[in-house]
Amino acid sequence: MHTDTKRMVLVSILCGLGYMMYSVDRMTVSSAIGLIASDFGLEKGQSGILLSSFFYGFIGFLFISGIIADKLSGKPVLILGLVMFSLATMLTGIAGSMTSLIFYRVMTGIGEGVFWPAASLEVANVTSEKQRTTVMSLYWMGYPIGGFFGTWLGAMLGPLYGWRVVFYVAGGLGLLVALAYALLVKSEPKKVVAVAHKEKVPLKLLFKNRAVMLIAFYYFLLLSGWWIVLLWAPTFLMNMKQLSIGVAGTIASLLGLTGALGGFLLGRYCDKGDFARKRRVLIGVTLLSSLLMAAMVMQLPVFVVIVLVLFLGLLGYPITPLVLSFTAELVPEQLRGSAIGLVMNIGMTAGGISPVLAGYFADKYSMSTVWFVAACVMLVSSVLLLGVRKSVQSTEKRTLSGLASPISTSKQ
């Protein structure tokens, strides 16, 4: 196997494993929120704050991490974030009050906010445009697979052994992944790094990149609805379909299984075409995901709900790796980490808002109403993608003057 291919495989697998541990942690909170709420005497509104507390640390460091990773390299930033996240995850399991629980969740978010842009940059840097979406989707499989295990473990093991156990396991495994990355992934030679950063590109030009900003605001609207799916799905199924926590958590965990498959299939399809095809795919899966989500509000048999969940995961979960891959194509390599961090930062801000609003309005109205409104917001988000265009020149070859201005776009 060629050295570059070996590095690509190793980086993608280890970044995916790190992402998996983070997903196990977060989805455990989602599936076990009923047990946590019972322990601490929380109402739905307070539960929504707890679900969102992770994002208060997360969104504060995404853009900063991307900038630092561009200036240094992804490896040290990635390892630092993964260690911070893993330690905070383990500490979540010992929380003795609502205050300490929220504090540890915020710290977990900070660690993941440092890790994610750096890991995504590492994957982007070991791939070419013709393989990036596929490899990015394979790396991102760690998230839905971790979501499956986290949701399932929280729902099935939580009632038996308590909700704290999975946090200890996820945190310990995260530390092992950080150690493996430090030992197995060799840093790039200094001469390679020097060439990559030879030409200075002002960070301020990133904010003048119309395509990147549209992608970022699309991602914000999309995630405003999607985080309600991820964090409130077990509760929605319990309340609307009268299911037990075990059954509801198991059904919700299916999102992750089909999401992993969907990411690979859509990634392969996108990499076989041009940017226009990728944009059409992103618009299409956004529209279909919103329709599937809206359909779940209807009075349907449980087996039909399961089918809808399977297809919702198949189409909805892969959206993030598609967004990350597209963003990497829209800017010069010198701004790649910063652009990924910016898009993540704006998009993930929704995670700190929508779960809280969902809990508040679910108390005032109903979860089905909140669910349907979230589906409509996702539907509207696809409109922003119509304005996303890639410049005529390849982002890998563009000079400073060619940086994706609002005017110099192709007709793709």
Side-chain angles (χ1 to χ4, degrees):
M1 188 183 291
H2 193 273
T3 302
D4 290 342
T5 304
K6 287 182 179 179
R7 181 179 178 84
M8 179 184 71
V9 171
L10 184 61
V11 167
S12 301
I13 289 176
L14 290 178
C15 287
L17 288 174
Y19 210 178
M20 184 187 298
M21 294 307 105
Y22 139 73
S23 184
V24 167
D25 163 88
R26 198 157 67 189
M27 292 304 105
T28 296
V29 176
S30 173
S31 60
I33 188 64
L35 298 174
I36 297 174
S38 177
D39 277 2
F40 292 98
L42 308 180
E43 297 178 351
K44 281 191 175 66
Q46 293 173 307
S47 296
I49 293 175
L50 178 59
L51 288 173
S52 288
S53 58
F54 170 94
F55 293 94
Y56 302 146
F58 188 46
I59 62 179
F61 284 82
L62 287 167
F63 188 33
I64 295 173
S65 172
I67 296 173
I68 295 174
D70 275 336
K71 298 295 183 183
L72 302 176
S73 77
K75 180 180 176 179
V77 181
L78 178 158
I79 293 172
L80 173 63
L82 191 51
V83 169
M84 291 174 59
F85 156 79
S86 300
L87 291 175
T89 295
M90 296 178 75
L91 289 172
T92 298
I94 68 171
S97 66
M98 178 66 169
T99 301
S100 62
L101 187 61
I102 289 178
F103 175 78
Y104 294 138
R105 298 312 298 159
V106 172
M107 293 304 297
T108 303
I110 291 175
E112 180 56 27
V114 173
F115 166 81
W116 193 16
S120 300
L121 177 62
E122 285 282 274
V123 176
N125 283 344
V126 295
T127 55
S128 65
E129 282 193 17
K130 287 298 182 181
Q131 61 183 186
R132 185 168 294 136
T133 308
T134 300
V135 177
M136 191 71 76
S137 296
L138 290 172
Y139 139 69
W140 207 74
M141 276 187 184
Y143 182 77
I145 292 173
F148 166 76
F149 284 113
T151 304
W152 185 80
L153 288 173
M156 300 304 292
L157 298 185
L160 294 177
Y161 303 105
W163 54 269
R164 300 176 185 269
V165 175
V166 182
F167 291 104
Y168 302 141
V169 175
L173 291 175
L175 290 175
L176 290 178
V177 175
L179 179 62
Y181 204 94
L183 296 177
L184 299 178
V185 178
K186 304 301 181 182
S187 299
E188 290 184 278
K190 290 184 178 180
K191 61 179 181 179
V192 175
V193 176
V195 171
H197 292 76
K198 184 177 181 180
E199 183 185 358
K200 299 296 183 180
V201 181
L203 183 64
K204 65 181 181 180
L205 291 183
L206 183 61
F207 297 94
K208 298 180 180 180
N209 188 320
R210 183 170 178 262
V212 170
M213 298 309 296
L214 283 174
I215 283 281
F217 288 114
Y218 151 79
Y219 199 40
F220 172 81
L221 289 179
L222 181 281
L223 291 185
S224 294
W226 187 244
W227 276 119
I228 291 175
V229 174
L230 294 180
L231 298 180
W232 284 103
T235 303
F236 171 79
L237 293 172
M238 288 169 62
N239 293 346
M240 295 302 302
K241 309 302 178 182
Q242 289 76 52
L243 302 176
S244 67
I245 182 175
V247 174
T250 300
I251 293 175
S253 70
L254 298 176
L255 286 162
L257 286 184
T258 54
L261 175 63
F264 174 73
L265 294 177
L266 290 173
R268 290 288 293 168
Y269 179 75
C270 286
D271 279 338
K272 291 181 179 180
D274 57 11
F275 190 83
R277 171 188 282 194
K278 297 175 183 180
R279 187 183 60 180
R280 289 195 297 269
V281 169
L282 193 55
I283 292 173
V285 295
T286 302
L287 292 173
L288 289 174
S289 296
S290 62
L291 294 176
L292 288 168
M293 185 177 173
M296 291 178 66
V297 178
M298 301 169 61
Q299 295 298 321
L300 301 170
V302 174
F303 79 90
V304 177
V305 174
I306 293 175
V307 172
L308 291 176
V309 168
L310 289 172
F311 278 101
L312 184 58
L314 184 75
L315 299 173
Y317 253 111
I319 288 176
T320 289
L322 296 181
V323 168
L324 297 181
S325 177
F326 300 169
T327 302
E329 292 185 31
L330 294 171
V331 296
E333 185 177 347
Q334 297 94 320
L335 288 180
R336 189 177 285 163
S338 302
I340 289 173
L342 177 64
V343 170
M344 289 177 177
N345 219 143
I346 293 176
M348 288 296 169
T349 302
I353 300 173
S354 62
V356 176
L357 292 178
Y360 174 77
F361 285 111
D363 280 332
K364 294 194 66 175
Y365 302 102
S366 69
M367 182 55 72
S368 62
T369 301
V370 172
W371 194 267
F372 184 76
V373 171
C376 293
V377 171
M378 289 172 61
L379 185 70
V380 171
S381 71
S382 62
V383 176
L384 294 178
L385 294 175
L386 297 175
V388 176
R389 298 288 191 278
K390 185 179 178 182
S391 66
V392 177
Q393 291 179 291
S394 166
T395 56
E396 296 295 331
K397 298 178 180 178
R398 267 184 293 179
T399 59
L400 174 60
S401 61
L403 176 60
S405 68
I407 300 175
S408 69
T409 55
S410 72
K411 295 182 180 180
Q412 286 185 327

